[in-house]
Amino acid sequence: MLTALLILWPALAALLVLLVKGQGAKKIAFGAALVELVLGVWAWINFTPNASTQFLLNEPWIADAGIMFKVGMDGISLLMVLLTVFLVPLIILSTFKHNYEKPSSFYALILFMQTGLVGVFTALDAFVFYFFWEVALIPIYFIAGMWGGENRVRVTFKFFIYTVFGSLFMLAAFVYLYFQTPGAHSSEEVAFYQLILDAGTQSWLFWFLFIAFAIKMPVFPFHTWQPDTYSEAPAAGTMLLSGIMLKMGIYGALRWLLPVVPLGVSQWSTVVMVLAIIGIIYGAIIAIRQQDMKRLVAFSSVSHVGLIAAGLFTLNEHGLQGAMVQMLSHGVNVVGMFFIIDIIQSRIGTREIAAMGGITQNTPFLSVCFLVLLLGTVALPLTNGFVGEFLLLMGVYQYNNWMGAIAGLTIILGAVYMLRMFQRVMFGEQNDITRGFTDLTFTEKAVLVPLVVMVFWIGLHPNTFLSLSEPSVLKLLDVIKR
């Protein structure tokens, strides 16, 4: 029942929020998100760290077709649920300084999206997974399309086309796999894992599933929707997309691609590794050239996700565990970075790096939070980013030492564009637009302090989270290498 409650509560709260007029909607949405956080922590406290699926709900959905509404959590799922329930209340709180038009609709969409995200991370049936995948996508279309920037219609349409094609590829693959299950057909995860398909079939199924997940991550060259959408979406939409939604693609590949078509993975893994490493270097180089802070962080995300994707396809424990902890770290860091950019833009009306300077002279609290999140992003030892990148690079190096060496450039290039941005924005002489810059408000501190705490918690005590996912990762590797 706990898993079902985690899925249903945000949707029920969203319906309540829709009935509230005015800016009171944000307070109710925030309260509902805090209740969801408590439920997630309760699941964590009561979770036994082993490879079994816990908090299971398995009820008939489309009974005649053998399709069950089956949801539950293992260690991999739990980490993603914890990331979701931790970030959503902070994202809602980050919007308190904005007075969006139609606030009840805005905050209801965020809560509906949370239902979809939790559903994706807990689904144990392919069609349940697909259903929640679409449920999570629909709200962000409206959030970006209704509250985004000047080019929101064009950008949102591009995002829509990409994701719809990806979803159709995934649905086609799931339908085919469903009909390959013996006897009374089943779409349960375990039934797909037990299928024995020839290498040729697994090869085309691999590309159908990979394209769907690669668009969502996004992996080069399926990334072109991302920088524009991140730039044009409202700050909360950008944080939802980057902090949680892109993890859907990584999670989908881990859960529904690698163990279902292992022969296809072994046949095409080198190609994917090359694409991922190209994305690492390409994203970093383009980030160095950016003058818009939001686009810089968007391209840095392409680079970081490229490394996570490379770690997945190493098919070794270091790579997969590195991907798990880096999903957490990236979510924390990128939400913090985009929120700081939103703070700066709301104060001075621009995101252009060249227009800034000297902000740190009046903002000790902002400067510390910004620096900590930035150092986590560039993987400084003792921060969260170091743990994930170290494990990922170990995994890639075990797969191929030359690929590991090239992927390692992400540390150098990341330091270049992030520290350069920080120096130009925060240091130097103040100018007319930055002279009156004020430090963080209480609400802004309430968003950033938990993120800063997580930077050090994951960096200093990574086993808190790695121990949750390790049994499930090892079990998954056994399935892949069967």
Side-chain angles (χ1 to χ4, degrees):
M1 281 300 296
L2 184 55
T3 304
L5 191 57
L6 279 162
I7 294 169
L8 289 175
W9 170 250
L12 296 174
L15 294 174
L16 176 62
V17 168
L18 281 173
L19 301 176
V20 178
K21 295 182 179 180
Q23 297 301 320
K26 66 177 68 171
K27 296 178 182 178
I28 294 176
F30 178 62
L34 288 180
V35 172
E36 182 80 347
L37 173 60
V38 171
L39 292 173
V41 172
W42 181 252
W44 183 13
I45 292 170
N46 289 278
F47 183 83
T48 304
N50 57 40
S52 66
T53 300
Q54 300 170 43
F55 315 118
L56 187 67
L57 175 70
N58 189 16
E59 296 292 336
W61 185 22
I62 308 175
D64 292 342
I67 298 173
M68 307 293 289
F69 189 88
K70 187 176 182 181
V71 293
M73 286 183 276
D74 62 3
I76 296 170
S77 304
L78 180 62
L79 284 186
M80 294 298 96
V81 169
L82 289 174
L83 177 68
T84 304
V85 300
F86 172 69
L87 290 180
V88 169
L90 296 180
I91 291 170
I92 293 174
L93 186 61
S94 75
T95 67
F96 272 35
K97 64 178 180 291
H98 298 294
N99 291 319
Y100 291 109
E101 294 183 6
K102 301 179 180 176
S104 58
S105 299
F106 182 81
Y107 292 103
L109 285 169
I110 292 177
L111 291 172
F112 274 126
M113 186 172 171
Q114 186 174 27
T115 281
L117 291 165
V118 174
V120 164
F121 296 138
T122 57
L124 297 172
D125 181 282
F127 294 120
V128 174
F129 177 85
Y130 178 79
F131 170 75
F132 282 118
W133 180 276
E134 296 302 310
V135 168
L137 289 174
I138 293 168
I140 200 65
Y141 295 146
F142 291 103
I143 290 172
M146 294 175 65
W147 291 276
E150 291 181 8
N151 299 314
R152 61 185 182 275
V153 175
R154 175 183 60 82
V155 168
T156 305
F157 182 71
K158 182 179 181 180
F159 174 53
F160 175 80
I161 293 298
Y162 264 84
T163 52
V164 164
F165 271 99
S167 296
L168 290 175
F169 276 116
M170 177 169 60
L171 180 59
F174 282 170
V175 169
Y176 179 85
L177 288 164
Y178 166 77
F179 282 111
Q180 302 312 302
T181 57
H185 300 304
S186 171
S187 52
E188 289 186 27
E189 176 187 84
V190 65
F192 282 12
Y193 288 4
Q194 292 171 353
L195 285 173
I196 300 175
L197 304 172
D198 63 81
T201 301
Q202 290 197 32
S203 180
W204 70 260
L205 281 170
F206 170 86
W207 283 107
F208 272 53
L209 292 170
F210 175 73
I211 289 171
F213 300 136
I215 289 171
K216 187 54 57 200
M217 293 186 204
V219 172
F220 178 91
F222 305 99
H223 70 284
T224 57
W225 64 268
Q226 188 235 47
D228 291 338
T229 307
Y230 281 19
S231 298
E232 292 297 322
T238 305
M239 288 187 268
L240 286 165
L241 276 166
S242 59
I244 312 172
M245 182 166 272
L246 72 79
K247 312 305 185 294
M248 286 168 47
I250 301 166
Y251 178 85
L254 184 62
R255 184 73 79 189
W256 295 98
L257 174 64
L258 301 183
V260 174
V261 288
L263 296 180
V265 172
S266 64
Q267 184 176 351
W268 295 107
S269 61
T270 302
V271 173
V272 174
M273 293 287 286
V274 170
L275 291 176
I277 290 170
I278 290 172
I280 293 170
I281 306 302
Y282 166 83
I285 291 173
I286 301 299
I288 290 171
R289 298 177 59 85
Q290 296 304 306
Q291 293 300 314
D292 181 311
M293 292 180 73
K294 211 172 184 184
R295 290 186 70 84
L296 185 152
V297 176
F299 278 106
S300 78
S301 189
V302 173
S303 182
H304 286 118
V305 171
L307 182 58
I308 296 173
L312 281 186
F313 283 86
T314 61
L315 303 184
N316 60 51
E317 184 183 354
H318 286 126
L320 267 62
Q321 281 285 73
M324 291 305 306
V325 73
Q326 192 66 353
M327 281 196 279
L328 297 179
S329 301
H330 179 268
V332 168
N333 294 336
V334 79
V335 165
M337 294 297 288
F338 278 125
F339 182 52
I340 287 170
I341 293 167
D342 183 52
I343 292 171
I344 292 172
Q345 185 180 8
S346 67
R347 298 278 205 282
I348 63 176
T350 183
R351 300 193 304 253
E352 289 297 316
I353 295 171
M356 302 180 202
I359 291 176
T360 193
Q361 295 178 32
N362 299 331
T363 58
F365 211 102
L366 172 64
S367 301
V368 170
C369 292
F370 193 176
L371 184 60
V372 169
L373 289 161
L374 183 145
L375 293 177
T377 303
V378 301
L380 185 77
L382 304 184
T383 66
N384 56 356
F386 176 77
V387 178
E389 290 204 5
F390 180 76
L391 289 172
L392 287 167
L393 290 172
M394 280 186 66
V396 176
Y397 188 82
Q398 287 177 10
Y399 180 88
N400 182 288
N401 53 6
W402 284 106
M403 287 184 177
I406 297 170
L409 293 174
T410 183
I411 296 174
I412 299 169
L413 295 173
V416 169
Y417 58 73
M418 283 295 180
L419 293 174
R420 183 170 169 235
M421 175 184 69
F422 188 80
Q423 188 273 328
R424 294 174 68 188
V425 169
M426 302 301 290
F427 295 127
E429 294 295 325
Q430 290 182 336
N431 56 43
D432 291 340
I433 65 171
T434 61
R435 192 164 286 115
F437 203 102
T438 57
D439 209 351
L440 299 178
T441 65
F442 175 80
T443 302
E444 290 165 348
K445 290 177 183 177
V447 174
L448 287 174
V449 168
L451 296 172
V452 169
V453 169
M454 288 304 300
V455 168
F456 290 115
W457 187 354
I458 299 173
L460 295 171
H461 301 286
N463 201 50
T464 306
F465 306 97
L466 290 172
S467 62
L468 290 177
S469 60
E470 184 180 15
S472 298
V473 164
L474 293 175
K475 180 181 178 182
L476 204 61
L477 283 170
D478 287 341
V479 174
I480 295 167
K481 296 175 180 180
R482 65 184 185 274

